[in-house]
């Protein structure tokens, strides 16, 4: 079984030398143990880094035949870089993992045994979140629950550390959407799957490439790419308000016919007006979000362009 390990890298010069060393050692070990075939390799995807990332990758490909690299023409974000790597890598199975060595590389050995046992998709799931800040842990776990309650199929506490068989990759290729949320798409593929648990460490070096702003954008992406629940909620809100307005109308009629205090009310006119205006704007905003998605999808823009490759024979 020929294995490819795909690693998206964005400004990772601080961790790359160590990552290359550890991955190479692991490959040598697994080839030695005959768990993977000769020709297994690591494919680094440089996601338009602005530092020395690409030159480090290029250098490594010269020194080591089991290291390959592709460089995207500009920064496209983690998910797209990952897809670029998955769809261009060769091999019978592909494992994707981050460059920062947070995920225990040794879990790959178990992933490969699960693959041999017949799984097409092996999800890496972190055992604990004790290396995360309280804030990250709270928001991340809450987010997985939210997705679950919105009906998005997702593997709890699984990020992008996973093994995919050739068959799974070829199925993934058929998804043409531009709003990529792999964690949601992969379970949609079906096929036999397995889970491998591992410990997650701190980032080996460098800073997180996911600042809060990107994280929020990613979270919102996950919801709007998979769930129409926010749209449906509008119907619910609309229903609630029409019910409310019936009651207000009944109350107004009662005052009009059964009491003498029918003072033309300014407050009761203006307050609901503003309130309903606000609600309507919110609803239009949510509809707009989905329209924006449709707009992007119908354009069928290509996801990425490979600018250069290195270490690939032919
Ligand atoms: N990454 C990327 N493009 C980006 C941002 C991140 O390819 O625009 C890569 C990054 O190099 C790393 C992985 O995605 O290999 C995960 O990023 P990071 O470790 O910074 O995220 P965190 O673990 O902090 O959520
Ligand atoms: Mg990380």
């Amino acid at each position: 079984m020929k294995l490819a390990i795909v690693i998206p890298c964005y400004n990772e010069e601080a961790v790359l030398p160590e990552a290359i060393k550890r991955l190479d050692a692991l490959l040598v070990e697994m080839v030695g143990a005959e768990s993977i075939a000769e020709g297994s390799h690591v494919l680094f995807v440089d996601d338009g880094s602005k530092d020395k990332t690409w030159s480090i990758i290029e250098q490594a490909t010269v020194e080591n035949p089991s290291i390959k690299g592709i460089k995207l023409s500009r920064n496209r974000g983690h998910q797209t870089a990952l897809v670029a790597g998955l769809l261009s890598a060769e091999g019978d199975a592909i494992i994707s993992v981050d460059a920062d060595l947070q995920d225990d590389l040794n879990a790959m050995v178990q992933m490969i045994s699960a693959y041999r046992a017949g799984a097409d998709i092996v999800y890496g799931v972190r055992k604990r979140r004790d290396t995360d800040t309280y804030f990250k842990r709270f928001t991340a776990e809450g987010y997985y629950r939210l997705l679950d309650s919105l009906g998005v199929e997702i593997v709890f506490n699984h990020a992008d550390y996973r093994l995919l068989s050739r068959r799974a990759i070829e199925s993934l290729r058929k998804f043409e959407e531009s709003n990529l949320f792999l964690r949601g798409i992969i379970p949609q593929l079906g096929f036999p799957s397995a889970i491998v648990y591992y410990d997650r460490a701190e980032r080996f070096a460098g800073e997180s490439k996911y600042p809060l702003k990107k994280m929020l954008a990613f979270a919102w992406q996950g919801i709007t790419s998979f769930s129409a629940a926010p749209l449906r909620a509008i119907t619910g809100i609309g229903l609630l308000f029409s019910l409310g307005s019936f009651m207000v109308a009944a109350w107004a009629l009662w005052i009009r016919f059964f009491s003498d205090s029918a003072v033309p009310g300014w407050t009761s006119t203006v307050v609901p007006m503003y309130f309903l205006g606000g609600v309507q704007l919110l609803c239009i905003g949510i509809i707009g979000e989905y329209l924006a998605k449709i707009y992007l999808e119908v354009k069928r823009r290509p996801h990425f362009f490979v600018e250069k490759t290195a270490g690939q024979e032919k």
Side-chain angles (χ1 to χ4, degrees):
M1 184 266 268
K2 197 162 121 184
L3 176 75
I5 302 174
V6 168
I7 308 196
C9 310
Y10 178 58
N11 294 344
E12 296 286 10
E13 61 180 9
V15 285
L16 264 182
E18 178 70 17
I20 292 170
K21 210 166 75 192
R22 290 203 206 167
L23 285 161
D24 182 54
L26 185 69
L27 275 185
V28 169
E29 189 190 309
M30 290 195 292
V31 171
E34 287 182 8
S35 92
I36 55 174
E38 294 285 339
S40 295
H41 59 272
V42 184
L43 175 66
F44 287 98
V45 182
D46 176 14
D47 184 18
S49 299
K50 291 171 183 72
D51 63 0
K52 291 208 274 316
T53 298
W54 178 248
S55 58
I56 297 173
I57 294 171
E58 217 169 17
Q59 183 60 31
T61 62
V62 173
E63 289 163 4
N64 189 333
S66 60
I67 307 265
K68 300 177 183 203
I70 59 177
K71 179 183 192 303
L72 302 190
S73 55
R74 57 156 294 167
N75 181 245
R76 300 294 287 123
H78 177 211
Q79 296 288 292
T80 304
L82 193 54
V83 172
L86 292 176
L87 298 187
S88 19
E90 291 159 22
D92 305 313
I94 301 182
I95 295 180
S96 56
V97 66
D98 290 348
D100 57 4
L101 302 171
Q102 278 189 285
D103 307 308
D104 180 12
L105 296 181
N106 294 312
M108 288 189 194
V109 177
Q110 286 158 269
M111 287 186 178
I112 290 164
S113 351
Y115 169 83
R116 288 192 184 287
D120 279 275
I121 302 172
V122 187
Y123 298 99
V125 171
R126 42 199 299 182
K127 279 186 215 153
R128 265 165 293 142
R129 281 189 173 266
D130 42 13
T131 52
D132 280 348
T133 60
Y134 179 75
F135 175 76
K136 171 95 194 225
R137 195 181 328 167
F138 182 75
T139 50
E141 295 195 336
Y143 180 64
Y144 281 108
R145 286 206 189 90
L146 174 69
L147 281 181
D148 192 53
S149 67
L150 289 176
V152 184
E153 250 181 84
I154 195 148
V155 178
F156 196 68
N157 272 345
H158 159 68
D160 285 301
Y161 188 18
R162 69 174 81 79
L163 178 146
L164 294 172
S165 68
R166 179 48 51 196
R167 196 158 59 144
I169 295 279
E170 292 314 314
S171 316
L172 185 65
R173 205 186 290 283
K174 303 211 168 82
F175 282 77
E176 288 185 352
E177 61 190 78
S178 358
N179 293 304
L180 291 165
F181 186 69
L182 281 174
R183 280 164 225 193
I185 291 174
I186 305 283
Q188 299 294 315
L189 298 178
F191 296 127
S193 64
I195 288 181
V196 162
Y197 294 91
Y198 69 95
D199 282 317
R200 186 154 154 129
E202 309 246 7
R203 198 172 227 288
F204 177 74
E207 276 174 8
S208 172
K209 307 298 182 290
Y210 261 104
L212 188 64
K213 199 174 139 214
K214 263 196 200 173
M215 216 151 73
L216 288 176
F218 182 58
W220 184 238
Q221 169 99 313
I223 294 174
T224 50
S225 315
F226 279 92
S227 166
L231 268 179
R232 251 173 254 133
I234 295 177
T235 323
I237 295 171
L239 219 71
L240 216 73
F241 276 99
S242 19
L243 219 75
S245 63
F246 274 125
M247 289 194 299
V248 171
W251 170 69
L253 285 175
W254 186 83
I255 298 239
R256 172 71 182 76
F257 292 115
F258 302 104
S259 80
D260 334 308
S261 59
V263 181
W266 182 79
T267 326
S268 58
T269 316
V270 160
V271 169
M273 203 176 79
Y274 278 118
F275 189 57
L276 286 177
V279 170
Q280 279 166 347
L281 273 183
L282 175 75
C283 296
I284 293 170
I286 297 180
I287 294 172
E289 282 288 338
Y290 282 90
L291 274 183
K293 297 248 166 222
I294 294 168
Y295 171 70
L296 284 175
E297 294 298 346
V298 293
K299 283 207 243 214
R300 297 203 175 271
R301 283 182 176 157
H303 299 162
F304 56 83
F305 302 105
V306 173
E307 185 182 306
K308 284 187 231 171
T309 63
Q312 254 145 352
E313 52 276 291
K314 261 183 272 178

